[in-house]
């Protein structure tokens, strides 16, 4: 049995993981997917990481998975828990001292979105969340997800430098979604290579893969946990 610690992205709650969590639990694994604090503009990335550590009960180890904006929080959690592995799922990959607010321009995100939008007729970066985020999620689930959106992350967390001085010394995997219309897959592959020296794995899905492809994603995560055991 493995323990998977799931860190959601901006605007989300732990509910965003519920389909994936159900599959993992059916296979005997433990899943911890807390709601990160919202509606408080003074909270920092360290506050978010502490909320996850508290939900885990401070137990060391586990497979930490960060989705989207959760990529800024998950490595801090992995460091605090001495995690067995860290998985960056369609996630922002920060550098030490880089704030989330700076990340967008530092990485060339906008240019990559514009280039992909020119190729796919404006699907990437579309203003309609049903097009850009939830295009492969069942409509009822997509509407429920949008109805659960809230104010997270805070202004303080967006402005403050990422607090780690180096990437945690934890085996790290990166998963890109080949049909992601928010973070183009080529953009994230290059970011993973340049910032982490990691060759990203891929899954055929949009950005909200935990809702759209829970079985396929669970299989990847379980294989990662098996790799940890073998090593």
């Amino acid at each position: 049995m493995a323990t998977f610690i799931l860190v959601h992205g901006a605007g989300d709650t732990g509910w965003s993981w519920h389909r994936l969590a159900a599959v993992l639990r059916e296979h005997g694994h433990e899943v911890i997917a807390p709601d990160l604090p919202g509606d408080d503009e003074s909270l920092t990335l360290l506050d978010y990481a502490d909320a996850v550590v508290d939900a885990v009960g401070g137990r060391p180890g586990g497979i930490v998975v960060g989705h989207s904006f959760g990529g800024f929080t998950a490595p801090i959690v992995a460091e605090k828990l001495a995690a067995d592995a860290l998985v960056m799922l369609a996630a922002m990959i920060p550098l030490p001292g880089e704030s989330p607010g700076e990340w967008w321009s530092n990485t060339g995100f906008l240019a990559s979105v514009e280039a992909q939008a020119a190729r796919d007729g404006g699907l990437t970066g579309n203003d309609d969340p049903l097009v850009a985020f939830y295009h492969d999620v069942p409509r009822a689930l997509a509407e429920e997800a949008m109805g659960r959106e809230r104010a997270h992350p805070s202004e303080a967390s967006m402005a403050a430098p990422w607090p780690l001085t180096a990437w945690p010394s934890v085996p790290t995997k990166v998963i890109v979604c080949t049909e992601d219309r928010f973070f183009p897959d080529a953009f994230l592959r290059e970011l993973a290579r340049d910032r982490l020296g990691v060759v990203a794995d891929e899954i055929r899905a949009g950005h909200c893969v935990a809702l759209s492809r829970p079985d396929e994603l669970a299989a990847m995560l379980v294989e990662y946990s098996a790799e940890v055991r073998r090593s």
Side-chain angles (χ1 to χ4, degrees):
M1 183 185 74
T3 298
F4 293 96
I5 302 158
L6 310 179
V7 183
H8 66 71
D12 273 337
T13 65
W15 175 91
S16 66
W17 298 106
H18 77 279
R19 295 190 77 195
L20 173 67
V23 177
L24 291 171
R25 288 172 178 142
E26 284 173 4
H27 289 83
H29 302 289
E30 182 180 8
V31 179
I32 300 167
D35 293 348
L36 300 188
D39 302 306
D40 185 337
E41 297 301 333
S42 69
L43 296 178
T44 68
L45 293 168
L46 288 172
D47 292 319
Y48 298 151
D50 285 343
V52 179
V53 172
D54 289 346
V56 175
R59 290 176 295 157
I63 312 292
V64 177
V65 183
H67 176 243
S68 199
F69 182 83
F72 266 86
T73 303
I76 306 172
V77 174
E79 177 88 355
K80 286 176 173 286
L81 295 178
D84 298 316
L86 170 61
V87 181
M88 304 292 280
L89 174 63
M92 301 167 75
I93 300 172
L95 291 175
E98 179 180 62
S99 73
E102 295 168 334
W103 183 91
W104 308 94
S105 59
N106 288 353
T107 58
F109 164 77
L110 184 58
S112 111
V113 168
E114 290 174 345
Q116 183 60 32
R119 290 189 288 268
D120 65 22
L123 297 176
T124 298
N126 197 284
D127 290 337
D128 184 348
L130 290 172
V131 174
F133 289 94
Y134 300 109
H135 59 92
D136 62 342
V137 175
R139 182 62 178 258
L141 277 176
E143 291 176 348
E144 184 170 359
M146 290 187 289
R148 289 173 174 268
E149 289 180 4
R150 64 206 176 98
H152 170 89
S154 68
E155 291 181 3
S157 68
M158 289 296 292
W162 193 54
L164 296 187
T165 58
W167 198 258
S169 56
V170 170
T172 299
K173 298 284 190 177
V174 176
I175 300 176
V176 301
C177 300
T178 61
E179 299 174 357
D180 197 332
R181 296 176 181 171
F182 182 54
F183 291 147
D185 59 336
F187 163 74
L188 280 188
R189 282 194 193 95
E190 183 177 359
L191 197 67
R193 184 176 62 249
D194 291 348
R195 293 195 164 191
L196 299 178
V198 169
V199 176
D201 296 322
E202 64 179 43
I203 185 170
R204 185 178 178 183
H207 190 69
C208 300
V209 56
L211 290 175
S212 65
R213 300 287 187 271
D215 293 287
E216 296 90 333
L217 179 57
M220 294 180 75
L221 296 179
V222 170
E223 176 55 30
Y224 291 159
S225 72
E227 289 180 16
V228 168
R229 290 196 302 272
R230 289 194 294 267
S231 64

